[in-house]
Amino acid sequence: MDITIFVNLTSRAWGLPILSKLHAGVPGRQAPLLAATGAGRSAFAQSVEHLIILGLLERNPGHGHPLRPEFRLTPKGVVAAEIAGRIYDVVKTADLDLLRRSWTLPVLTALQAPRHFTGIKRSLHTISDRALSQSLKAMEARNWVQRSIDGAARPPRPLYRSVNTGGLISEVTAPSIRLAQGSNGVQV
């Protein structure tokens, strides 16, 4: 999966939890998915529509009542749901709120190796400086990201690395998510 698709997928708070629950075997009907994710009805509906637009989920034709729709994963959705399932397998329940923030997972994916702020930003083309800074601070507070000063760089500047749960998430996403390419074709 490309990082831009992953960024788009994680832009809705409940998109990844829905995929994770479908991967875990929760029936594709609205009521069981709502109960399993704990999402509100309107946020859930928006996330499902977003997943349908991304081509990861589809309405199951011929099944379900119009007021009780049923959904199923598309072939692309199966791959995304597998990634979501692996991510949710390594995260503690107390940390699920941090996963629902839009930039947490893309930033951790960019931290497959230690990086400077600008390196992370280059991997995630659409992230603003403020969003990246806030995301790094939130993950640093949970001890998912460690910040150190790179004394070898001139001038010295912060170096970020994923640790603990953040490191586990980076390991899970590393083989599945392709980071953006720099202008010279080198992966950033």
Side-chain angles (χ1 to χ4, degrees), residues 13 89 146 169:
D89 285 345
Q146 183 180 42
I169 293 170

Side-chain angles (χ1 to χ4, degrees), residues 7-182:
V7 166
N8 202 352
L9 168 61
T10 59
S11 67
R12 296 283 181 175
W14 297 101
L16 221 57
I18 291 168
L19 291 176
S20 171
K21 296 301 180 184
L22 285 169
H23 180 71
V26 173
R29 293 182 308 279
Q30 183 172 335
L33 282 171
L34 262 170
T37 60
R41 285 189 182 279
S42 59
F44 176 84
Q46 290 171 355
S47 293
V48 166
E49 282 305 314
H50 186 69
L51 292 171
I52 290 170
I53 290 168
L54 291 176
L56 302 175
L57 203 62
E58 64 186 5
R59 285 183 171 76
N60 195 354
H63 292 288
H65 186 276
L67 297 176
R68 294 183 303 277
E70 187 171 317
F71 307 99
R72 65 181 179 194
L73 294 168
T74 64
K76 273 181 18 180
V78 170
V79 173
E82 183 182 332
I83 295 168
R86 284 186 279 152
I87 290 168
Y88 276 81
D89 285 345
V90 300
V91 177
K92 297 177 184 122
T93 306
D95 292 327
L96 292 178
D97 64 318
L98 189 56
L99 279 187
R100 286 193 301 269
R101 292 186 181 182
S102 60
W103 286 106
T104 297
L105 290 168
V107 169
L108 286 173
T109 301
L111 287 174
Q112 295 171 1
R115 290 179 189 256
H116 296 278
F117 188 91
T118 55
I120 300 168
K121 188 163 172 46
R122 267 186 263 139
S123 295
L124 307 170
H125 298 296
T126 56
I127 194 168
S128 68
D129 288 345
R130 183 171 189 263
L132 178 54
S133 178
Q134 287 179 336
S135 185
L136 287 168
K137 284 179 185 176
M139 288 186 284
E140 208 176 338
R142 293 278 177 97
N143 206 19
W144 284 17
V145 169
Q146 183 180 42
R147 180 182 185 262
S148 60
I149 300 299
D150 182 4
R154 292 288 171 234
R157 55 191 182 151
L159 185 66
Y160 299 92
R161 76 182 70 241
S162 58
V163 294
N164 303 323
T165 303
L168 293 173
I169 293 170
S170 290
E171 289 174 19
V172 164
T173 60
S176 306
I177 310 294
R178 290 181 310 279
L179 294 177
Q181 302 290 318

